Amino acid sequence: MGELVVGIDIGTTKVCTIVGEVREDDTYIVGLGVEPSRGMKKGKVTDLNVLSTSISSSVHKAERSSGYEIGRAFVSVSANHAQSVNSKGMAGIPSSRPVQMGDIVKAMNAARAIPLSHGREILHVIPRRYNLDDQEGVRNPIGMYGFRLEVESHIITSDSIGLENLTKCVESAGVFVDRFILNPLASGDVVLTPTERESGVMLVDIGGGTTDLAIFIEGTVWHTGVIALGGYNITNDIAHVLNLPFELAEAVKLEFGHADPRAVQPLEMFPVQPFGEEHISQVRRSDLVDIINARVAEMFELILQEVKRSGYEGLLPAGVVLTGGASLLPGMKAVANKVLQMPARVAQPEAITGMAEPLRHPSYSTSVGLLRLGLIMDIEEDRRAALNKPRRKGGGEMIVNGIGKAIGGLFRRFVTVDDE
Ligand SMILES: Nc1ncnc2c1ncn2[C@@H]1O[C@H](COP(=O)(O)OP(=O)(O)OP(=O)(O)O)[C@@H](O)[C@H]1O
Ligand SMILES: [Mg+2]
C-alpha cells in the first residue's frame, strides 16, 4: 500500500474523517468516521469545546475503522471564511536557457505579493494561466524559451482568526492540521470531469449552512465564492411556515420535499403533527414545495449574481455541477436550469474504492476531495522544498494539475499503526 492520507471535513451538519490511499485513478478508502457536527454555524466555529468533541468522535471512529492512529490531516475550510482576488506576477528568464520550475515559483511569489488587510492570510495561490512574452495562455511553460514569464493567478485568502479557531479544535482532538483546503476546491477535484474543467464549468456545493462555489476554466480555478444559505435554511423555512419542530421539518423535507412545483400533483397531501396540536393534520404537498422552491430559487438567484460579478458568465458551456447534501433534493437541477439558464447535473464521489459505499453521496464530495487535493498540494510543496523554498504553513499552492508518478515518492506521515 502507498501513502495513507487523512482528510477531516468539518461541515455545518457533519464532521467526516477519511483515511485513504490516493492512487492515480481512484482513492482507496481504508477507514472513515462520520459524526453530527455541533458548535459550527454557517461554516464558522461558534463553540470551540463542542466542535472539538464532534471532531474527536469522528477521528476516533475513523481510527477504529481503519486500525491506524491519526496524527495529521488535511482540513476543509468553508468559503465563508474566504475572499478571492486575481493577481499577476512576473519573472525574467535569462536568454541562455529555457523556463525552469524556479522561474514559475518566482513569478508565483511575485503574484502572491498582494496587499493583505489586517487579520487575513493567504490560503491558496492557484495559477490560472501563463503568458510567455506575447504568447498568452501557455499551459506549461517549463522547457520553453522566452524572456518574460507572467503568471495570472487566483489568490484565496482567509481570515486568520477563523483558521486559528479551527486549528485549535482539530489540535485539541489530537490531530495536527497539515493544511487547510477550501471546500469547493476539494469538491470540484472529485466531481468534475477533466472535460468540464477544461471547457468551463461552475461547481456549486450546497451544504447545510453554506453554498460554496468555484468556477473552473481552462482546467483550473478562475473564481471562488460563497452564498450564506444551505439546506438548513430550507428546513428552517419549512419549520416556521408549517409550525413544526426542526427535526420533523427535516424529516418532511427528506420524505416529501421537492424544489420544482411542476413536479407535484395539486391534490397530493401528507400527514404531520404541528406544535401544540394533538391530532395529525394533512398538509398539501404543493404548499411544502412552494416553501422550498422560494428558498431554492433565491439561492440560485444569488449564485447567478455571483457568476455575473465574476465576469465569466459567458464562459461556462459545461454549465453547473451541483453537489453537497442539499443537491439531492429532487427538482434542484430543474430550478438551477431555469434560473441560471445553463445545463446542470448533480454529482457525488465516484472514483472511490475500498470502504467506499457510505461515501457515494453528494454530502461527501468535499470529504473525499480533501485527500486527493491535499496530496497534490503536498507534491507541489515537495517540489518547492527541492528548490530550497521554505514550506509555508496553512493552505497550499498548485502548479500542476495531476498526481502522476509523484505519489510513489512520498512516505507515511499521516498515520501510524494503532496498537490498541
Ligand atoms: N436526500 C436529501 N434531500 C434533501 N436534502 C438533503 C438530502 N440529504 C441531505 N440533505 C441536506 O443536506 C444538508 C447537509 O449537506 P452536507 O452534508 O453537504 O453539509 P455540510 O458539509 O455538513 O455543511 P456545510 O458544507 O454547509 O458546512 C442538510 O441540510 C440536509 O438536510
Ligand atoms: Mg460541506
Side-chain angles (χ1 to χ4, degrees):
M1 177 167 291
E3 185 189 23
L4 290 178
V5 290
V6 180
I8 308 180
D9 176 12
I10 310 174
T12 309
T13 55
K14 52 105 194 7
V15 179
C16 175
T17 304
I18 302 182
V19 182
E21 182 196 354
V22 178
R23 307 193 290 205
E24 194 153 356
D25 297 324
D26 65 0
T27 302
Y28 182 76
I29 312 292
V30 172
L32 65 114
V34 184
E35 269 293 298
S37 173
R38 315 223 185 278
M40 196 163 208
K41 201 167 182 195
K42 298 217 168 288
K44 296 193 173 178
V45 182
T46 54
D47 188 325
L48 287 172
N49 291 334
V50 173
L51 183 60
S52 296
T53 309
S54 298
I55 297 172
S56 275
S57 314
S58 157
V59 166
H60 287 146
K61 273 191 181 169
E63 287 181 330
R64 279 196 301 276
S65 89
S66 66
Y68 290 99
E69 195 177 329
I70 294 173
R72 55 207 294 164
F74 302 127
V75 176
S76 69
V77 182
S78 163
N80 215 11
H81 284 288
Q83 285 170 9
S84 61
V85 61
N86 290 336
S87 164
K88 290 182 183 176
M90 214 270 295
I93 316 293
S95 56
S96 53
R97 62 158 176 83
V99 174
Q100 298 171 350
M101 188 65 180
D103 303 318
I104 293 185
V105 172
K106 198 168 159 200
M108 294 269 286
N109 283 344
R112 65 181 290 146
I114 53 163
L116 276 177
S117 54
H118 181 68
R120 297 205 70 79
E121 60 189 80
I122 290 180
L123 191 60
H124 300 295
V125 182
I126 301 159
R128 305 189 320 147
R129 59 187 348 197
Y130 298 99
N131 306 320
L132 193 54
D133 297 339
D134 51 7
Q135 193 182 343
E136 294 192 347
V138 175
R139 195 54 61 88
N140 180 3
I142 290 178
M144 293 174 70
Y145 283 89
F147 295 107
R148 183 180 186 275
L149 174 71
E150 184 184 64
V151 59
E152 295 180 28
S153 72
H154 183 64
I155 299 187
I156 299 167
T157 67
S158 171
D159 65 293
S160 309
I161 301 227
L163 294 187
E164 261 171 45
N165 286 335
L166 274 175
T167 305
K168 236 185 195 164
C169 291
V170 177
E171 283 181 353
S172 66
V175 179
F176 173 78
V177 178
D178 191 75
R179 71 172 72 254
F180 285 112
I181 297 176
L182 192 77
N183 275 355
L185 302 189
S187 317
D189 198 73
V190 164
V191 300
L192 300 177
T193 66
T195 316
E196 285 172 334
R197 249 182 287 206
E198 207 49 50
S199 13
V201 69
M202 173 164 55
L203 181 282
V204 174
D205 184 325
I206 316 174
T210 62
T211 295
D212 295 355
L213 57 95
I215 289 176
F216 293 76
I217 298 170
E218 292 181 7
T220 170
V221 185
W222 282 35
H223 181 82
T224 43
V226 66
I227 313 293
L229 294 173
Y232 174 87
N233 302 85
I234 302 173
T235 306
N236 221 20
D237 291 347
I238 299 170
H240 271 102
V241 179
L242 299 182
N243 196 25
L244 306 176
F246 186 87
E247 284 68 30
L248 181 54
E250 176 76 14
V252 162
K253 176 179 88 172
L254 297 186
E255 188 166 358
F256 304 105
H258 208 294
D260 183 5
R262 291 168 306 183
V264 298
Q265 303 299 325
L267 294 179
E268 220 180 310
M269 309 288 271
F270 65 91
V272 287
Q273 188 167 12
F275 269 129
E277 284 187 24
E278 283 175 18
H279 300 292
I280 288 179
S281 52
Q282 295 291 325
V283 174
R284 216 184 272 270
R285 189 165 176 223
S286 60
D287 290 346
L288 172 71
V289 175
D290 286 345
I291 299 167
I292 296 174
N293 176 263
R295 183 58 90 177
V296 171
E298 182 199 3
M299 287 159 70
F300 284 113
E301 292 288 351
L302 291 170
I303 291 168
L304 182 62
Q305 281 175 24
E306 180 69 26
V307 182
K308 287 187 172 160
R309 218 179 1 251
S310 78
Y312 305 132
E313 199 187 353
L315 298 178
L316 305 171
V320 59
V321 175
L322 307 174
T323 193
S327 70
L328 262 195
L329 189 67
M332 278 312 228
K333 211 176 87 148
V335 183
N337 279 146
K338 187 167 170 226
V339 177
L340 301 174
Q341 294 289 309
M342 29 171 111
R345 71 178 180 96
V346 175
Q348 65 185 30
E350 298 293 351
I352 43 179
T353 47
M355 218 181 274
E357 260 345 281
L359 300 175
R360 292 190 204 282
H361 185 286
S363 273
Y364 299 111
S365 301
T366 302
S367 323
V368 172
L370 284 177
L371 277 63
R372 196 167 194 88
L373 195 54
L375 196 61
I376 291 176
M377 288 175 177
D378 264 16
I379 292 168
E380 294 301 343
E381 220 156 65
D382 288 354
R383 286 184 167 195
R384 247 169 213 285
L387 291 167
N388 289 325
K389 301 286 171 190
R391 182 188 161 104
R392 288 196 177 84
K393 203 177 164 289
E397 301 192 356
M398 282 193 273
I399 295 175
V400 289
N401 279 316
I403 287 194
K405 302 215 162 29
I407 297 174
L410 292 166
F411 47 91
R412 185 173 290 177
R413 293 159 298 164
F414 284 73
V415 294
T416 47
V417 177
D418 190 357
D419 288 330
E420 276 182 316

